[in-house]
């Protein structure tokens, strides 16, 4: 088992942004409210060059969150131990304050499908994902955070709600959670649930980080709204409101603004970060 | 109804396949378009990775042609690792075997150049080469070894690869010459640079992996009688092609 006493301090209870290389200079010179950054682990799994040099420089100025997108923790096959070893190398090289991954699968056989694919919430899935989380935490020697997905559909076979499923994983593995409130809003809209009821049922004590981001709007075959996670636009007002709703109940947390496609200039992203800082202020004042 | 990951995967890259049963909306109706979100995400995200990965192939082929070609490639060759920085290794052979592009036989080598540029960008950092090594007496120098940096790559082509690269990278570049060319890719700091290698240069740099300077020159001269040692050495030094291996730093 990983030793909880050697756990890194975690991220500051302030605002972070998803780091994009085109913002390197602006972010360093004019960070505004930004206290920490998040990077996708897989982008730093080369052997050297600019990505490593930039991350070393940024680590001196900002707390660092490493967010994996390729571990396929929900896969119905053993975890890729080569990939786990690469994650371990990143932890050793950059000593991030936090490591997180997704409740999803992306590898099938030897194929990597480059998307976060959904899981049925059953006892069999719970046992498998819990075993994988334990393996990750043991290999990395630290707690990991697990992020809730954006759902576009449901599995008829599911026997748990998502919140019960996540709570059971926390209970079984001691992992923490990354609460993506944009994903909550997307899933609740797509599956006709109440996003506030989701937050009410969510194990907020386990939250080590919160995400907000943008999404796209589409429709299903019956004309019902179908929101699609894109990280390609500004955060919409209902998601900001859901963040407020969450922070009132959770108290202050590290809050990240994600913007991964159609990445805007630094000023626009910094304005989003400033809005997140405003949302955090009341929670920090208590 | 259990939807295994095998079921889910089978329909994912096949737009004609039926959506797996057991996936549904909030009312319990079949998922339909909702499943297509995943189909679309996979093909679009992989296609976007290809667009970033092969800018010179895209420039020569035309954006529209390239963008309509890549979904065929990504469905046939999904990545074999989560390291997207290495995605597309099968693309050169795919281009060469693709009947409608048979008349553009050089695209495979341009794709190899794009792969090598990316490999160079992510290659390990290395200690700079110490040129004082070259100030030794000629007979000692002949027995010395030179080491290519991990970010240095040599590519030979029966096509004018350097000219094709320049044509792809710069709008006003001259027409490619009708000749085979070899190129050297180096990474002086963070950005890879492409150089045209003089005659015998690729053979010489390749031979240096196993031979000392002197016999590598003999190998290169045997392969290319007009091999110019001074010109090749100057290019390699000026472009930071060499490094000092860790074992020599002690």
């Amino acid at each position: 088992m990983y030793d909880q006493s050697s756990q890194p301090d975690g991220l500051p209870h302030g605002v972070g942004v998803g780091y994009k290389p085109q913002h390197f200079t602006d972010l360093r010179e004019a960070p505004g409210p930004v206290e920490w950054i998040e990077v996708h682990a897989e982008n730093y799994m080369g052997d050297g060059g600019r990505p490593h040099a930039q991350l070393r420089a940024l680590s001196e100025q900002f707390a660092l969150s490493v967010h994996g997108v390729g571990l396929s923790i929900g896969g119905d096959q053993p975890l890729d131990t080569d990939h786990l070893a690469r994650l371990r190398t990143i932890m050793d090289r950059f000593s991030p304050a936090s490591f997180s991954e997704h409740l999803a699968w992306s590898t099938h056989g030897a194929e990597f499908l480059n998307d976060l694919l959904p899981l049925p919430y059953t006892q069999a899935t719970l046992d498998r994902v819990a075993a994988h989380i334990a393996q990750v935490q043991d290999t990395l020697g630290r707690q990991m955070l697990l992020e809730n997905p954006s759902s576009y559909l449901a599995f008829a076979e599911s026997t748990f709600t998502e919140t019960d499923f996540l709570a059971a994983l926390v209970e079984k593995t001691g992992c923490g959670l990354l609460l993506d409130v944009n994903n909550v809003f997307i899933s609740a809209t797509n599956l006709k649930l109440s996003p506030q009821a989701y937050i009410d049922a969510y194990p907020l004590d386990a939250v080590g980080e919160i995400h907000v981001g943008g999404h796209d709007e589409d429709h299903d075959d019956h004309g019902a709204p179908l929101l699609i996670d894109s990280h390609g636009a500004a955060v919409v007002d209902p998601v900001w409101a859901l963040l407020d709703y969450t922070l009132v109940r959770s108290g202050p947390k590290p809050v990240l603004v994600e913007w991964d496609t159609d990445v805007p200039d630094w000023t626009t992203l910094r304005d989003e970060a400033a809005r997140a800082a405003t949302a955090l202020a009341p929670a920090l004042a208590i | 109804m259990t939807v295994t990951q095998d079921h889910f995967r089978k329909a994912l890259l096949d737009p004609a396949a039926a959506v797996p049963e057991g996936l549904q909306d909030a009312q319990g109706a079949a998922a339909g378009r909702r499943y297509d979100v995943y189909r679309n995400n996979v093909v679009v995200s992989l296609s976007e990775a290809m667009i970033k990965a092969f800018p010179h192939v895209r420039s020569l082929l035309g954006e529209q042609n390239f963008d309509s070609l890549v979904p065929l490639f990504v469905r046939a060759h999904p990545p074999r690792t989560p390291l997207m920085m290495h995605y597309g290794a099968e693309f050169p052979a795919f281009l060469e075997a693709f009947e409608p592009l048979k008349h553009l036989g050089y695209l495979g080598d341009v794709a190899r150049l794009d792969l090598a540029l990316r490999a160079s960008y992510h290659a390990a950092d290395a200690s700079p080469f110490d040129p004082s090594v070259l100030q030794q007496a000629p007979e000692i120098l002949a027995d010395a070894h030179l080491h290519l940096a991990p970010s240095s790559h040599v590519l030979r082509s029966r096509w004018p690869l350097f000219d094709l690269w320049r044509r792809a990278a710069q709008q006003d570049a001259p027409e490619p010459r009708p000749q085979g060319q070899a190129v050297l890719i180096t990474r002086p700091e963070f950005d890879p640079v492409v150089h045209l290698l003089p005659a015998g240069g690729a053979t010489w740099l390749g031979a240096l992996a196993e031979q000392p300077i002197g016999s590598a020159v003999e190998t290169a001269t045997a392969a290319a009688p007009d091999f110019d040692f001074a010109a090749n050495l100057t290019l390699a030094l000026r472009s930071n092609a060499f490094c000092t291996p860790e074992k020599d730093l002690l």
Side-chain angles (χ1 to χ4, degrees), chain A residues 51-191:
Chain A
H52 288 207
Q54 288 196 340
L55 203 50
R56 277 194 301 271
L58 290 165
S59 302
E60 289 171 12
Q61 190 175 349
F62 302 97
L64 176 65
S65 163
V66 170
H67 190 50
V69 296
L71 191 56
S72 196
I73 225 160
D76 63 3
Q77 59 188 41
L79 290 181
D80 177 349
T81 50
D82 289 343
H83 201 64
L84 265 179
R86 290 190 282 262
L87 283 170
R88 174 78 209 220
T89 301
I90 299 236
M91 299 303 128
D92 293 345
R93 205 170 248 163
F94 299 106
S95 306
S98 174
F99 170 69
S100 50
E101 251 283 356
H102 298 84
L103 179 58
W105 62 283
S106 49
T107 295
H108 184 63
E111 287 174 2
F112 176 68
L113 296 158
N114 202 35
D115 191 29
L116 300 167
L117 299 167
L119 291 164
Y121 299 137
T122 63
Q123 187 64 45
T125 311
L126 182 69
D127 293 342
R128 187 173 76 232
V129 173
H132 285 169
I133 290 173
Q135 188 185 355
V136 173
Q137 293 186 143
D138 288 349
T139 306
L140 302 184
R142 58 160 72 213
Q143 187 193 43
M144 65 162 286
L145 308 180
L146 189 72
E147 178 174 348
N148 55 297
S150 305
S151 297
Y152 308 119
L153 48 74
F155 287 75
E157 68 200 90
S158 286
T159 53
F160 290 75
T161 64
E162 188 167 285
T163 44
D164 284 351
F165 191 85
L166 289 166
L169 284 172
V170 169
E171 174 77 29
K172 269 169 137 13
T173 68
C175 73
L177 297 174
L178 193 174
L179 171 57
D180 188 318
V181 296
N182 181 48
N183 291 357
V184 171
F185 184 75
I186 289 170
S187 299
T189 305
N190 291 344
L191 298 176

Side-chain angles (χ1 to χ4, degrees), chain A residues 42-51 53 56 70 74-76 80 83 86 105 107-108 110-120 128 150-157 190-192 218-222 224-226 228, chain B residues 1-9 12-13 19 22-27 29-35 37-39 41-43 45-46 48-49 78-86 120-125 187 189-191:
Chain A
E42 286 70 15
N43 292 342
Y44 296 85
M45 287 183 178
D47 294 321
R50 178 178 284 122
R56 277 194 301 271
D76 63 3
D80 177 349
H83 201 64
R86 290 190 282 262
W105 62 283
T107 295
H108 184 63
E111 287 174 2
F112 176 68
L113 296 158
N114 202 35
D115 191 29
L116 300 167
L117 299 167
L119 291 164
R128 187 173 76 232
S150 305
S151 297
Y152 308 119
L153 48 74
F155 287 75
E157 68 200 90
N190 291 344
L191 298 176
K192 299 200 182 335
D218 200 350
H219 291 90
D220 75 358
D221 300 293
H222 311 287
L226 181 57
I228 299 173
Chain B
M1 178 73 208
T2 302
V3 183
T4 65
Q5 292 182 4
D6 214 32
H7 294 143
F8 200 98
R9 154 68 185 89
L12 203 54
L13 293 185
V19 173
L23 302 177
Q24 58 192 34
D25 69 9
Q27 279 81 34
R33 277 185 63 134
R34 292 164 172 268
Y35 179 82
V37 176
Y38 298 103
R39 279 179 163 148
N41 281 351
V42 171
V43 173
S45 73
L46 293 178
E48 282 170 356
R80 312 292 290 181
T81 144
L83 270 64
M84 291 301 294
M85 62 181 67
H86 299 314
S120 174
Y121 183 81
H122 290 288
D125 306 316
R187 195 184 83 200
E189 193 183 15
F190 295 132
D191 292 304

Side-chain angles (χ1 to χ4, degrees), chain A residues 3-24:
Chain A
D3 175 6
Q4 298 205 355
S5 66
S6 66
Q7 195 57 29
D9 288 342
L11 296 163
H13 289 176
V15 175
V17 290
Y19 170 64
K20 298 291 155 206
Q22 57 266 47
H23 296 149
F24 180 69

Side-chain angles (χ1 to χ4, degrees), chain B residues 176-233:
Chain B
R177 292 159 278 188
Q179 56 180 233
Q181 292 175 344
V183 301
L184 168 66
I185 294 170
T186 62
R187 195 184 83 200
E189 193 183 15
F190 295 132
D191 292 304
V193 181
V194 180
H195 312 272
L196 175 62
L197 275 168
T203 306
W204 179 61
L205 290 170
L208 284 174
E210 289 168 359
Q211 301 172 12
I213 299 177
S215 46
V217 168
E218 286 165 25
T219 303
T221 309
D226 54 345
F227 173 69
D228 181 339
F229 174 59
N232 277 283
L233 181 65

